[in-house]
Amino acid sequence: MSSIRWFFVAVAALLLATEAAVASTAGLYDVRDYGAAGDGQTLDTPAIHKAVEACAAAGGGQVRFPPGRYLCGTAHLKSHVTLFLEAGARLIGTTNLDQYQQPTPPDFLPEAKWGKWHRALILADGLEDIAIAGDGVIDGNKVFDPTGEERMRGPHTFVFVNCRDVTVRDVSFVDSANYAIFFQVSDHVEIRNVKFTGGWDGVHFRGGPGRPCRDVSIVGCQFFTGDDSIAGRYWENTLISNCTVNSSCNGIRLIGPATHLIVHNCLFYGPGVHPHRTSNRHNMLAGLNLQPGAWDATEGELDDVLISDVAMHNVNTPFHFSLKPGNTAGNIVVNRVTATGVYRAASSVE
């Protein structure tokens, strides 16, 4: 073969290799390419925003965090964007409270009037098709706020409102300054293989009268929380399965109506590995605490609840079921439960 022909073959091969490389990185946006330092000291919020904006403008994709420590205030997500934290990447909440923002919850939610209580490290408002994934860590950094709830709680870690098609997979949440994942009036949410360590509630979600959170699954997760591991109200079609739940408060605490709730194949045990942030105690209260109307009036029904293949150890009581005025209950079925080390009551029904 002539040298000229070899030249053209080599050029063609190079072009094909270049096209393959471009194709393999299409839709990937590395935060370091947008100026993130990842040194744990530089505030990387502007760089993260640039990467998210570029990803969204191109129609969506992944915003990637390579190994490093990324100090951040509120990072705003966009539709069709995934935040992907590689192993060794750590997104850390800044202690500067001025760097946090909050969404605008619908007016019909009682919580809407609480303003800055909704602040977040990662925030999504009115979006669809969003995700957080990877083997990295999201660190709430125990941000202390003397003007916050209980004169100590800071921003939640991941907050989303009025969203649909949300996925959180494989990442770890540590030391949340309030709830690790907090969402309102959102549908089609999957939280899978996520680990929660320290902080207050692990996953807390709320709908409202006539507008529940719909189609939520929490599967294969590990909870080691200082407050309730899973909590909220106004749920419809919720699956909690194959989870390990360790808490210094309640395992699951429902404070309002819920229909079509399944809790299956989960382990609940105390005492809590991490202390209750307010009282510093470690004892675990109820494994499942279903108490509509516990905090305020929440009219509606608790119905079609299945609890099956559950093991509990060292809890105050495996089950506490209670109703307040304005709430009713239909079917609650409990099958195949093993409980040892119960130190208050086998069950409590009020």
Side-chain angles (χ1 to χ4, degrees), residues 11-22:
V11 169
L14 179 60
L15 290 174
L16 287 172
T18 302
E19 288 176 2
V22 170

Side-chain angles (χ1 to χ4, degrees), residues 6-31:
W6 272 115
F7 172 77
F8 283 112
V9 170
V11 169
L14 179 60
L15 290 174
L16 287 172
T18 302
E19 288 176 2
V22 170
S24 69
T25 59
L28 302 181
Y29 299 81
D30 189 318
V31 293

Side-chain angles (χ1 to χ4, degrees), residues 27 29 51-52 54-63 77-83 124 126-132 164-166:
Y29 299 81
V52 170
C55 183
Q62 284 190 0
V63 173
L77 262 174
K78 297 285 185 180
S79 292
H80 315 299
V81 171
T82 295
L83 299 185
L127 306 182
E128 63 179 6
D129 183 25
I130 58 174
I132 300 175
R164 62 182 292 114
D165 299 323
V166 180

Side-chain angles (χ1 to χ4, degrees), residues 49-69:
H49 283 168
K50 289 178 183 177
V52 170
E53 291 286 350
C55 183
Q62 284 190 0
V63 173
R64 298 184 73 93
F65 293 76
R69 297 172 59 83

Side-chain angles (χ1 to χ4, degrees), residues 2-350:
S2 69
S3 59
I4 294 177
R5 188 176 178 184
W6 272 115
F7 172 77
F8 283 112
V9 170
V11 169
L14 179 60
L15 290 174
L16 287 172
T18 302
E19 288 176 2
V22 170
S24 69
T25 59
L28 302 181
Y29 299 81
D30 189 318
V31 293
R32 288 187 182 268
D33 293 338
Y34 293 84
D39 59 8
Q41 298 180 353
T42 305
L43 192 67
D44 285 326
T45 315
I48 294 169
H49 283 168
K50 289 178 183 177
V52 170
E53 291 286 350
C55 183
Q62 284 190 0
V63 173
R64 298 184 73 93
F65 293 76
R69 297 172 59 83
Y70 301 90
L71 189 66
C72 190
T74 297
H76 292 264
L77 262 174
K78 297 285 185 180
S79 292
H80 315 299
V81 171
T82 295
L83 299 185
F84 190 92
L85 286 79
E86 297 179 4
R90 196 177 193 96
L91 184 66
I92 305 169
T94 176
T95 57
N96 183 350
L97 293 169
D98 293 335
Q99 295 294 321
Y100 292 96
Q101 299 169 347
Q102 66 259 10
T104 304
D107 290 338
F108 66 82
L109 291 178
E111 301 88 348
K113 63 180 179 291
W114 295 349
K116 74 171 187 176
W117 181 81
H118 295 84
R119 294 169 302 179
L121 175 57
I122 303 171
L123 178 59
D125 194 346
L127 306 182
E128 63 179 6
D129 183 25
I130 58 174
I132 300 175
D135 294 321
V137 175
I138 303 173
D139 186 348
N141 202 17
K142 294 184 179 179
V143 176
F144 182 82
D145 183 1
T147 69
E149 183 182 359
E150 298 181 309
R151 298 184 179 181
M152 62 188 303
R153 300 199 199 194
H156 308 294
T157 303
F158 179 30
V159 171
F160 54 97
V161 177
N162 194 27
C163 293
R164 62 182 292 114
D165 299 323
V166 180
T167 301
V168 185
R169 294 180 65 105
D170 304 326
V171 294
S172 295
F173 289 80
V174 303
D175 291 336
S176 293
N178 205 336
Y179 302 160
I181 297 177
F182 174 48
F183 61 95
Q184 298 169 285
V185 292
S186 296
D187 302 328
H188 305 297
V189 178
E190 180 186 45
I191 301 169
R192 183 178 291 270
N193 298 332
V194 176
K195 185 176 181 179
F196 301 87
T197 303
W200 272 271
D201 293 12
V203 178
H204 191 122
F205 57 108
R206 301 185 186 187
R211 177 54 177 98
C213 290
R214 300 183 178 95
D215 303 321
V216 175
S217 61
I218 303 170
V219 178
C221 295
Q222 300 177 62
F223 295 87
F224 303 94
T225 58
D227 211 326
D228 303 329
S229 292
I230 302 170
R233 61 189 181 191
Y234 293 105
W235 301 349
E236 182 179 303
N237 295 336
T238 301
L239 170 65
I240 301 168
S241 177
N242 297 293
C243 291
T244 299
V245 180
N246 173 267
S247 168
S248 293
C249 201
N250 299 282
I252 298 173
R253 187 182 193 188
L254 181 73
I255 57 172
T259 57
H260 317 305
L261 167 64
I262 296 175
V263 180
H264 175 70
N265 195 33
C266 293
L267 168 65
F268 298 80
Y269 74 96
V273 173
H274 295 273
H276 189 266
R277 291 286 298 275
T278 305
S279 65
N280 206 40
R281 60 176 173 77
H282 286 261
N283 62 303
M284 188 168 176
L285 304 183
L288 278 83
N289 188 353
L290 309 183
Q291 48 177 176
W295 290 0
D296 52 12
T298 56
E299 293 187 1
E301 189 174 33
L302 174 64
D303 190 23
D304 191 16
V305 177
L306 172 62
I307 301 163
S308 63
D309 300 286
V310 167
M312 300 197 189
H313 183 62
N314 287 346
V315 297
N316 177 316
T317 181
F319 307 109
H320 175 62
F321 303 151
S322 69
L323 297 175
K324 298 292 185 180
N327 295 112
T328 58
N331 291 321
I332 302 174
V333 177
V334 180
N335 288 330
R336 297 180 301 277
V337 172
T338 301
T340 58
V342 175
Y343 61 87
R344 186 67 60 85
S347 64
S348 173
V349 180
E350 302 175 10

